[in-house]
């Protein structure tokens, strides 16, 4: 149980285009999901907290107009990288916290999406 | 400086040996967790230790937590080549958030056959 999927796993796009990454909790509901960014051989940096039915909360320094987050249901959050540039190339990972009553202190992580902007 | 810093940054050992990785943090925490990440893959949760716990075991893993020193260690006993991965500690509770995780820089462990 507690599986989180991401789609796509890899994407290559041209500079200036937008890319949407999906994060789904497959067997549980999540009111809160997180989006992280990871550069090669570096740690995960939290970008934003995605809240179902409300606006996302962005970390300092993360452009909310560039990284659009939508959490339209209890099992799906999307991250759209708008007008992507080569410096946006990175590994994007989402995580989800099950609703209360399950393992609330554990975040379940998706497998990540490798974005390459050419 | 960064919350949750692991050392060493890289560790190379022979199969069968034990591997010890350390993590230090700066603010108060509710929980500390260790995760494993294979190259280019997602995170796998290994173990969680609460701030009122001092030691926890899970299979070949042993985690200690010293809140007075704001540090934790992860010991992998009888290592295997398949243990080769990056290991991250992550803390929560900083700034009052129970769920927001702050990750350390990670330790790259290489276990040579």
């Amino acid at each position: 149980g507690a599986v989180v999927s991401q789609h796509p796993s890899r994407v290559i796009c041209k500079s200036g285009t937008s890319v949407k990454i999906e994060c789904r909790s497959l067997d549980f509901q999540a009111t809160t999901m997180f989006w992280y960014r990871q550069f090669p051989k570096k740690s995960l940096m939290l970008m934003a907290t995605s809240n179902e039915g409300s606006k996302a909360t962005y970390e300092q320094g993360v452009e909310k107009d560039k990284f659009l987050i939508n959490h339209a249901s209890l099992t799906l959050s999307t991250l759209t990288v708008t007008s992507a540039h080569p410096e946006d190339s990175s590994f994007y990972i989402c995580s989800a916290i099950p609703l209360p009553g399950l393992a609330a202190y554990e975040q379940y992580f998706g497998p990540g999406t490798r974005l390459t902007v050419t | 400086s960064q919350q949750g810093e692991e050392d060493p940054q890289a560790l190379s050992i022979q199969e069968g040996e034990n591997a010890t990785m350390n993590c230090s943090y700066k603010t108060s925490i509710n929980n500390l967790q260790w995760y494993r990440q294979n190259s280019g893959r997602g995170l796998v949760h290994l173990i969680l230790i609460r701030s009122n716990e001092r030691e926890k075991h899970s299979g070949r893993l042993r985690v200690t937590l010293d809140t007075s020193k704001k540090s934790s260690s992860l010991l992998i006993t009888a290592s295997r080549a398949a243990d080769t991965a990056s290991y991250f500690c992550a803390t929560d509770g900083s700034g009052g958030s129970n769920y927001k995780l702050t990750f350390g820089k990670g330790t790259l462990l290489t276990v040579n056959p």
Side-chain angles (χ1 to χ4, degrees), chain A residues 60-113:
Chain A
Q60 193 171 11
V62 177
E63 298 175 62
K64 61 182 180 181
D65 294 331
K66 179 164 187 64
F67 299 99
L68 301 179
I69 291 172
N70 183 277
H71 194 153
S73 77
L74 289 173
T75 59
L76 173 65
S77 174
T78 60
L79 168 69
T80 301
V81 183
T82 62
S83 187
H85 290 282
E87 56 265 32
D88 298 324
S89 298
S90 193
F91 194 55
Y92 292 88
I93 302 177
C94 72
S95 70
I97 296 181
L99 285 174
L102 301 176
Y105 291 106
E106 290 184 3
Q107 291 185 24
Y108 295 94
F109 285 83
T113 296

Side-chain angles (χ1 to χ4, degrees), chain B residues 15-113:
Chain B
E15 214 166 19
E17 294 180 341
N18 295 341
T20 299
M21 290 160 271
N22 302 297
C23 166
S24 62
Y25 57 92
K26 297 197 179 297
T27 62
S28 63
I29 63 170
N30 290 338
N31 308 283
L32 185 145
Q33 304 184 64
W34 284 90
Y35 290 86
R36 165 199 168 119
Q37 184 182 36
N38 286 75
S39 180
R41 309 294 289 272
L43 294 180
V44 175
H45 181 263
L46 294 177
I47 196 165
L48 175 149
I49 187 165
R50 301 186 193 283
S51 60
N52 62 353
E53 296 177 311
R54 292 296 166 257
E55 189 171 310
K56 208 159 182 182
H57 296 256
S58 177
R60 294 185 295 115
L61 306 179
R62 173 177 171 253
V63 169
T64 63
L65 179 64
D66 187 335
T67 52
S68 67
K69 295 181 180 178
K70 291 186 168 60
S71 67
S72 173
S73 68
L74 170 68
L75 167 67
I76 303 174
T77 60
S79 64
R80 305 165 182 167
D83 294 329
T84 295
S86 290
Y87 292 83
F88 296 91
C89 70
T91 56
D92 69 78
S94 175
S97 168
N98 287 334
Y99 300 119
K100 211 162 142 176
L101 294 180
T102 302
F103 283 85
K105 295 177 181 175
T107 294
L108 175 59
L109 172 66
T110 303
V111 182
N112 302 299

Side-chain angles (χ1 to χ4, degrees), chain A:
Chain A
V3 176
V4 176
S5 70
Q6 282 184 240
H7 177 79
S9 57
R10 290 176 180 270
V11 58
I12 300 173
C13 70
K14 292 183 185 259
S15 191
T17 61
S18 295
V19 174
K20 181 186 284 188
I21 302 170
E22 293 184 348
C23 176
R24 291 182 187 272
S25 55
L26 297 185
D27 49 5
F28 65 95
Q29 293 182 323
T31 55
T32 303
M33 292 183 172
F34 298 91
W35 286 97
Y36 296 86
R37 181 174 182 175
Q38 185 179 30
F39 290 103
K41 299 187 179 180
K42 298 291 184 183
S43 187
L44 279 74
M45 298 295 294
L46 179 64
M47 298 174 66
T49 303
S50 172
N51 304 298
E52 187 268 336
S54 64
K55 290 183 179 180
T57 304
Y58 290 82
E59 295 299 300
Q60 193 171 11
V62 177
E63 298 175 62
K64 61 182 180 181
D65 294 331
K66 179 164 187 64
F67 299 99
L68 301 179
I69 291 172
N70 183 277
H71 194 153
S73 77
L74 289 173
T75 59
L76 173 65
S77 174
T78 60
L79 168 69
T80 301
V81 183
T82 62
S83 187
H85 290 282
E87 56 265 32
D88 298 324
S89 298
S90 193
F91 194 55
Y92 292 88
I93 302 177
C94 72
S95 70
I97 296 181
L99 285 174
L102 301 176
Y105 291 106
E106 290 184 3
Q107 291 185 24
Y108 295 94
F109 285 83
T113 296
R114 172 77 58 194
L115 170 63
T116 303
V117 185
T118 60

